[in-house]
Amino acid sequence: AGRMARRVITVSQFSSEMLQRFRVARASKIAVVHNGANHLLRTPSDHSVLESFGLVPHGYVLMLGSSFAYKNTEVIYEAFSRMERPRPKLAVVARADLRQTLKIADDLGDDFVALSDISDGQLRSLYENALVFVQPAKTEGFAMTQLEALNAGSPVITTPFGSMREVLADDVVYVESASPVAWRDAILRFRDEPGLRASTLALGQAMAAKYTWQRTSDALWQKVAEVAAS
């Protein structure tokens, strides 16, 4: 399909380079249109989720759970196991049976919270009230969840791999190391340094605000119109 299409549109320069590297399409056929990320703002926050799961504002770190190896979520579990108590809670949005599938859950005890069947309004509230959102993936075609978190009100710690620096610039905190200790230290900075959360979030939100679906649809239509006109 990539070779037969007149135009290939993808979501980041990084993705474009991968399409070229694996000979899906040549550079002259590829256009980059970044995704929007403001969709969650259409739904009001539902703060009932905090009481339901025993969470307090800025008292937990939020992560989206995944079984895919490239998401690298294990490094966050290990980072928390190396934190001395008292420590923030680790709230993970995932399947209901997540606790049963993770050996480390017993080590974290009540500091580990698995969140399942979450609505958009509840997810927005979880982002908004988190101490920080962590996304340790080894690669991503587009930094969608990081932008979601920023738009909803959470600062972000992530990796500089894949499309992350292209999309997020210098307006989030990066951890390059795969070391759980490095992740632990980065997370604890948000707990221990007054003002870090607010200052980091302000920079990130100003950057994230430009990734709107209106902007994306306008750019996409322009690319389609160019093909139609030719």
Side-chain angles (χ1 to χ4, degrees):
R3 294 170 185 171
M4 294 174 63
R6 293 171 62 185
R7 198 73 161 151
V8 174
I9 301 175
T10 191
V11 295
S12 66
Q13 185 58 41
F14 169 75
S15 292
S16 172
E17 292 167 1
M18 292 300 100
L19 291 172
Q20 296 170 56
R21 175 181 172 184
F22 292 100
R23 300 182 180 180
V24 174
R26 60 183 184 273
S28 60
K29 292 177 65 172
I30 301 173
V32 173
V33 175
H34 286 144
N35 278 326
N38 59 328
H39 44 273
L40 207 58
L41 300 181
R42 302 168 186 163
T43 304
S45 298
D46 179 359
H47 298 305
S48 66
V49 68
L50 301 183
E51 183 177 356
S52 297
F53 289 95
L55 301 173
V56 298
H58 304 176
Y60 64 94
V61 174
L62 184 66
M63 180 172 72
L64 303 186
S66 176
S67 60
F68 292 110
Y70 81 93
K71 291 291 189 179
N72 197 32
T73 55
E74 290 294 330
V75 74
I76 303 301
Y77 300 132
E78 293 294 337
F80 267 79
S81 73
R82 287 165 169 76
M83 288 184 194
E84 295 181 359
R85 290 183 172 89
R87 59 191 171 192
K89 289 189 176 185
L90 175 61
V92 182
V93 178
R95 296 187 336 188
D97 62 350
L98 178 63
R99 176 175 283 277
Q100 285 70 41
T101 62
L102 288 177
K103 294 180 181 179
I104 204 167
D106 291 335
D107 296 334
L108 299 183
D110 292 340
D111 292 334
F112 177 79
V113 182
L115 308 154
S116 60
D117 300 320
I118 300 300
S119 68
D120 285 350
Q122 291 173 326
L123 179 59
R124 180 175 177 180
S125 177
L126 289 168
Y127 279 135
E128 183 179 340
N129 290 286
L131 175 67
V132 66
F133 173 73
V134 293
Q135 214 281 31
K138 297 176 182 178
T139 187
E140 290 286 358
F142 185 77
M144 176 64 79
T145 56
Q146 294 94 324
L147 291 172
E148 267 191 357
L150 289 166
N151 275 321
S154 176
V156 169
I157 306 174
T158 190
T159 64
F161 310 129
S163 67
M164 267 65 120
R165 281 200 179 275
E166 172 190 345
V167 175
L168 304 171
D170 295 321
D171 300 319
V172 298
V173 173
Y174 291 105
V175 176
E176 297 193 32
S177 173
S179 164
V181 174
W183 279 94
R184 178 200 66 187
D185 293 347
I187 291 167
L188 290 179
R189 281 187 62 205
F190 281 86
R191 184 195 67 180
D192 298 338
E193 297 182 22
L196 178 62
R197 186 185 189 280
S199 61
T200 305
L201 178 58
L203 288 173
Q205 283 193 310
M207 172 271 296
K210 70 182 183 181
Y211 290 99
T212 68
W213 285 109
Q214 184 64 54
R215 178 187 180 189
T216 299
S217 60
D218 289 345
L220 177 59
W221 178 247
Q222 181 179 355
K223 300 302 180 185
V224 172
E226 288 171 1
V227 173
S230 66

